[in-house]
Amino acid sequence: MTDSPLEACGLCAGVIVEAHGETIATAKITLGIANQAHSAVRFVMNPYEQLQTLELIESSQMDLIAIYHSHPTGPEVVSVTDITEAAYAVVHIVWSPKVDDWQARGFWIEEERVSEVALQIL
Ligand SMILES: [Zn+2]
């Protein structure tokens, strides 16, 4: 999940279920994509790999449910750049270091407004 000290990034695909007024998205697969920015503070998904991955997700009859990337040196929340560059209506997962491990937090970004989404690691 990480390419520390560089930012890692990728897509999560799975199924989305609407039940009792709640949306529950369950990730089935996580697909890493090269960060062509090769940066510790920024990610730019390789567009060719991103397109290939989106086609794979579609042909597997799954939905794109999240975009993840890491912040090897924090913060544990989305950055201003993440908010302004958010292009997909999916959960944005940020991985950041926590003591000896990594933690994931999920955010919904809509019209530059951010709300945290509960993540459950199964
Ligand atoms: Zn970020």
Side-chain angles (χ1 to χ4, degrees):
M1 193 64 75
T2 72
D3 289 328
S4 187
L6 301 181
E7 286 199 13
C9 54
L11 305 177
C12 298
V15 293
I16 298 172
V17 179
E18 308 275 347
H20 312 294
E22 263 192 300
T23 304
I24 299 173
T26 305
K28 302 280 188 196
I29 52 169
T30 297
L31 302 144
I33 294 178
N35 176 6
Q36 69 174 25
H38 302 291
S39 166
V41 293
R42 187 164 164 68
F43 80 98
V44 177
M45 285 187 189
N46 175 296
Y48 179 71
E49 280 184 39
Q50 185 179 358
L51 184 64
Q52 272 193 320
T53 304
L54 288 168
E55 285 175 356
L56 173 77
I57 291 168
E58 197 179 322
S59 67
S60 308
Q61 288 167 358
M62 286 191 278
D63 289 308
L64 173 65
I65 61 168
I67 295 174
Y68 72 84
H69 71 285
S70 62
H71 286 172
T73 55
E76 59 186 63
V77 297
V78 284
S79 67
V80 173
T81 308
D82 296 333
I83 295 166
T84 54
E85 292 185 356
Y88 290 90
V90 297
V91 175
H92 290 72
I93 297 174
V94 174
W95 286 90
S96 60
K98 190 178 190 182
V99 196
D100 295 329
D101 204 357
W102 289 76
Q103 66 177 346
R105 287 177 65 177
F107 303 90
W108 187 264
I109 303 169
E110 197 166 343
E111 291 173 6
E112 304 203 357
R113 282 194 309 272
V114 179
S115 49
E116 187 154 12
V117 177
L119 295 183
Q120 199 176 7
I121 311 286
L122 301 174

